[in-house]
Amino acid sequence: MPRHRRCSRLRRIVGGVSVGALLLLAGSGGHNAYSGRPVFSLPLGLGAPFPLVADSSAPPPFPFAADFSPSPSPQSQYSPFRLSDDSLARRLLPLRLRASQDADAVLLPDQEVLILDDAEPTGNAICAFQGGASSPARSLGRLPASGLQAYVCRLPDPAQSFQQLQPPLLLHSSTSSASAAAPDPPSPSPGRALLNWTSDPIVFDSALLDGGDVLVFAKGINRRQGLQCLYRYSDGADTMLATTPAITSVQQVTRCPSPQTPVKSGGSTKILVTLGVTGEDPVPSLATFRRQQAESSSLTPHKSSICACTMGRNISKFLREWALYHSAIGVDQFFIYDNGSEDNLAGLVAQLISSGLNITTVPWPWTKVQEAGVSHCAATQQASCQWMAVIDVDEFIFSTSWAGLEKPSKSLLEPVISVDDSVGQIYLACYDFAPSGQTAHPPEGVCQGYTCRLKSPQRHKFLVRLDAVEPSLMNVVHHFKLKPAFKSIWTAFARVNHHKYQAWSEFKVKFKRRMSAYVADWKDPINLDSKDRAPGLGIDDTEPEGWAQRYCEVKDNILQLLTARWFGVGFGNSH
């Protein structure tokens, strides 16, 4: 389809601000929170920038050496204003609220449109596009910070021909067929072009932390010196604006001081947030949060020893096996960042919760921002977890010393985290398992179905002490940057079995969607020697000859035999 021509930022800002979309210009001066500080980022497509040596006694060095310590006393530079304040007249563009039925929307890759809406879902829903085309809207759940309901719908073929596509309307119906209830849906109001995830800078989410800071998640931020956090909220009859210098800003995460808004009795204050540089247009934003409470404060007050955080799409066939196994060896809580699943993940999670597992699902519909999701998980769960394992659902923490055990124990991971208080991160060698002759997803599950691997580890995974994570939350998915007082070490007590090279029908999904911002999609002809790729596979998503027998250098069925003894054959299947 032709690339949508974007209207000017001035027109977009004057065009309106919605609940969940703040487009304002704040010209407030103030302290430059980044004066003299270099900010680093990984180039697109670059994998982890260090080799993993199997017998290395020292952890890989973190590849960033810049000082990202917080600016002194950022709260003292907080600047609230009312819209009626004449001193802002020359520096603030006019704001106008859109009609409440207009939801916030962005065009995602693969011709999907994401819509955020504050209405309670009632029955089915459709997206109504300009020109009269429509498509069913699928609910993804509520975003935790804003409470907005996220929907996704396909961009219909007729709508793809518009050079300046308008955001669709979201229409709800209590009938069994939303499309039948609205055979001739209304067209969206003209004036705003649909945001494009691939080409536009966007503030896409936020999180209010227990300590009062606000995390602002954004893509496409190129200029960070003098970066300001911009807030808009209602104070009774007045509309308030506030600006404050950012505390830190790296990768897709900016840490901001919280605006000093009043919290009204019996309610919550909805605050719209974006980022900008003095004298320039602010970044278009979908992000709001509520001042009533921090995200982590709504969780159980009990602090778990070990939690696990993962992100995935359509992971139901793997989740039961992964969660049951790790719960049995000592993981207390699980946080699932759902990247738009279509395989009834919510139903499976409900079953696992009813069986006694502690699982929280976080809708995370954003593409190519896995690092931001890892940062969100680490920051919002600091009050809930002491240690966090960041692993995928095809990765299993394991020790060969458990081979003779007749049953699992929730204390099996205690030797791994029994370390000096100065240790903030523990690395585990990661072994990549092979297709092992499988031509389809093994009915007995990945632990018992894949039984050979590459001889040497290719990557590492980690457990991180959450209060040791550096405030910028910088990470490369495989580890975090730590506060200066903490260090990272390797452990010999456990490793990770990564069932990476699965049957081709499963493995080829990797060609469709890679979640990390700094790892190239497999069809992109760049960084071909990265360890994130399959050796010798290239960029073709056609099954190569002999795939089922590839990468099988060492027979390793210890976990297969162990889990069969502990749980029975095929323990991950639903019963």
Side-chain angles (χ1 to χ4, degrees), residues 378-515:
T380 58
Q381 304 311 326
Q382 214 176 103
S384 303
C385 311
Q386 181 182 7
W387 291 90
M388 178 80 74
V390 180
I391 52 177
D392 296 334
V393 292
D394 59 357
E395 297 173 333
F396 292 75
I397 301 175
F398 167 69
S399 174
T400 55
S401 66
W402 303 342
L405 298 179
E406 289 299 318
K407 57 183 180 179
S409 167
K410 290 186 177 293
S411 64
L412 287 179
L413 293 178
E414 286 299 323
V416 179
I417 61 172
S418 296
V419 293
D420 187 82
D421 288 345
S422 65
V423 174
Q425 196 160 229
I426 302 168
Y427 296 131
L428 299 87
C430 185
Y431 289 85
D432 292 342
F433 274 66
S436 308
Q438 300 285 358
T439 58
H441 178 67
E444 63 270 34
V446 297
C447 283
Q448 298 173 6
Y450 298 108
T451 56
C452 65
R453 58 172 171 83
L454 294 174
K455 183 177 180 179
S456 300
Q458 302 297 305
R459 284 288 193 186
H460 70 279
K461 290 293 178 173
F462 70 100
L463 291 101
V464 65
R465 191 194 302 265
L466 291 184
D467 60 7
V469 173
E470 206 268 344
S472 71
L473 299 167
M474 174 172 271
N475 70 85
V476 287
V477 177
H478 294 277
H479 56 262
F480 274 95
K481 188 173 189 285
L482 302 181
K483 296 174 182 176
F486 293 92
K487 63 183 178 181
S488 300
I489 64 170
W490 286 93
T491 184
F493 288 106
R495 73 186 198 196
V496 169
N497 283 10
H498 180 194
H499 300 93
K500 177 178 180 178
Y501 305 117
Q502 299 188 22
W504 183 258
S505 58
E506 302 297 332
F507 184 81
K508 69 179 182 181
V509 176
K510 294 178 182 287
F511 283 93
K512 179 176 175 59
R513 183 184 295 220
R514 307 301 304 279
M515 288 181 291

Side-chain angles (χ1 to χ4, degrees), residues 190-350:
R192 294 188 307 114
L194 181 66
L195 289 172
N196 190 314
W197 180 265
T198 302
S199 59
D200 291 325
I202 299 173
V203 170
F204 56 89
D205 212 338
S206 61
L208 177 62
L209 304 182
D210 279 334
D213 288 347
V214 177
L215 296 184
V216 181
F217 299 91
K219 60 174 291 291
I221 304 297
N222 296 318
R223 183 176 174 185
R224 299 181 190 260
Q225 288 201 0
L227 192 65
Q228 298 281 318
C229 308
L230 312 175
Y231 300 99
R232 179 186 183 277
Y233 58 94
S234 176
D235 180 20
D238 295 322
T239 297
M240 303 290 291
L241 301 170
T243 70
T244 185
I247 302 173
T248 60
S249 185
V250 296
Q251 297 176 305
Q252 305 123 352
V253 184
T254 297
R255 183 183 287 264
C256 301
S258 176
Q260 302 299 303
T261 63
V263 180
K264 296 179 175 59
S265 175
S268 62
T269 303
K270 180 181 288 187
I271 304 173
L272 298 93
V273 60
T274 190
L275 302 172
V277 176
T278 300
E280 295 185 6
D281 293 348
V283 179
S285 177
L286 302 173
T288 64
F289 66 93
R290 295 183 183 274
R291 193 68 175 85
Q292 190 173 33
Q293 61 180 14
E295 287 188 27
S296 54
S297 64
S298 62
L299 301 173
T300 172
H302 170 70
K303 192 165 188 175
S304 299
S305 179
I306 302 176
C307 301
C309 184
T310 194
M311 181 181 296
R313 176 183 173 93
N314 296 335
I315 59 174
S316 290
K317 69 174 65 174
F318 307 105
L319 182 60
R320 181 186 298 273
E321 177 184 15
W322 179 83
L324 291 176
Y325 171 84
H326 284 100
S327 175
I329 65 171
V331 176
D332 300 314
Q333 292 191 64
F334 300 89
F335 300 94
I336 314 297
Y337 278 62
D338 181 16
N339 198 224
S341 295
E342 301 178 73
D343 59 350
N344 192 29
L345 178 65
L348 174 59
V349 168

Side-chain angles (χ1 to χ4, degrees), residues 333-385:
Q333 292 191 64
F334 300 89
F335 300 94
I336 314 297
Y337 278 62
D338 181 16
N339 198 224
S341 295
E342 301 178 73
D343 59 350
N344 192 29
L345 178 65
L348 174 59
V349 168
Q351 293 178 21
L352 293 173
I353 292 174
S354 66
S355 69
L357 272 64
N358 189 339
I359 302 180
T360 300
T361 302
V362 179
W364 192 257
W366 325 110
T367 64
K368 298 291 287 183
V369 286
Q370 185 179 14
E371 292 80 3
V374 171
S375 296
H376 185 282
C377 192
T380 58
Q381 304 311 326
Q382 214 176 103
S384 303
C385 311

Side-chain angles (χ1 to χ4, degrees), residues 526-533:
I526 57 176
N527 204 23
L528 298 180
D529 294 328
S530 169
K531 292 183 183 295
D532 284 303
R533 293 182 177 272

Side-chain angles (χ1 to χ4, degrees), residues 149-171:
Q149 186 79 24
Y151 295 86
V152 68
C153 53
R154 295 289 300 173
L155 182 63
D157 290 342
Q160 296 181 24
S161 62
F162 286 92
Q163 292 295 316
Q164 184 171 304
L165 185 64
Q166 305 297 317
L169 296 177
L170 184 68
L171 304 178

